[in-house]
Amino acid sequence: MRAASIYGLCVGLTLWAACGGGGPVTVAPADAPAELSEAGAGHDAARPVDLATPRDGRAPQDWNPGAGGVGGGIFVVDASGKDVGYLVRRGSDESTAGRSIYDTVTVFHPASGLFFDITMTEAIPLLPATGFFSGAGCATPVGISAGGCATCRAGHGLGFLHEGVWWRVVSGAAREQIANAATRPATADGSCVPHSSSNSPAFPVETVTGTTPPTSFAAPLRFQWR
């Protein structure tokens, strides 16, 4: 039989022993999903990748023993072992290049439903944006800067600690002109800046009732996977 004829037989859906030996082999249709396989030094290229098994050989449940399976999350914990919250992101909304390398993290405190920024080294909770205050001494917060977007709404669950009291931005509030006599920036070294009374575009704030995050944290904070 000519080589061309043998080739024609080998490309059919069922390959017979003459094309490779050892009995018939079924070929998957062209539109069947491809099987992911590992390649490279130390791996069998034909062995499927087991996405549930870590490369270090540990069983999936070893990653999160409490849940009995794969998964888990990163917590931010203070120096005394107290949970601060789930890690949401590193960095902050400060308009500074390279902000993701800074000390600030955003966490979520599930018992209160609050998201807030805090520094890792000194454990100082921060304002979510420039804060406006009713008095020249920044005693009582009245609003958080709304920026230049006239139609934007306030985010949900944005919290901050001020003078031992937890506050939050009124969720979904529209921007309004809020009278104030002082401001404070959303930075760890931010200090109160008094000024003549004025109206500023801001989102209103309110005190948090019910469950709140702790009002103090032991520095420094650390990350914990569990």
Side-chain angles (χ1 to χ4, degrees), residues 149-176:
C149 179
T151 59
C152 290
R153 298 278 178 169
H156 291 254
L158 297 178
F160 61 95
L161 181 66
H162 179 71
E163 301 294 340
V165 177
W166 279 97
W167 297 72
R168 65 174 161 229
V169 182
V170 176
S171 299
R175 190 177 78 157
E176 58 184 86

Side-chain angles (χ1 to χ4, degrees), residues 76-77 84 87-94 96-107 116-126 186-189 218-223:
V76 176
V77 181
V84 180
L87 176 68
V88 176
R89 64 174 176 176
R90 294 179 58 204
S92 70
D93 283 330
E94 291 181 59
T96 308
R99 60 184 177 272
S100 63
I101 68 171
Y102 293 157
D103 196 38
T104 302
V105 294
T106 301
V107 299
F116 61 94
D117 289 348
I118 189 169
T119 62
M120 293 292 292
T121 301
E122 297 178 334
I124 299 175
L126 306 177
T187 56
D189 59 352
L221 306 183
R222 57 189 171 87
F223 297 113

Side-chain angles (χ1 to χ4, degrees), residues 124-146:
I124 299 175
L126 306 177
L127 293 168
T130 298
F132 296 104
F133 298 82
S134 60
C138 292
T140 305
V142 290
I144 292 294
S145 175

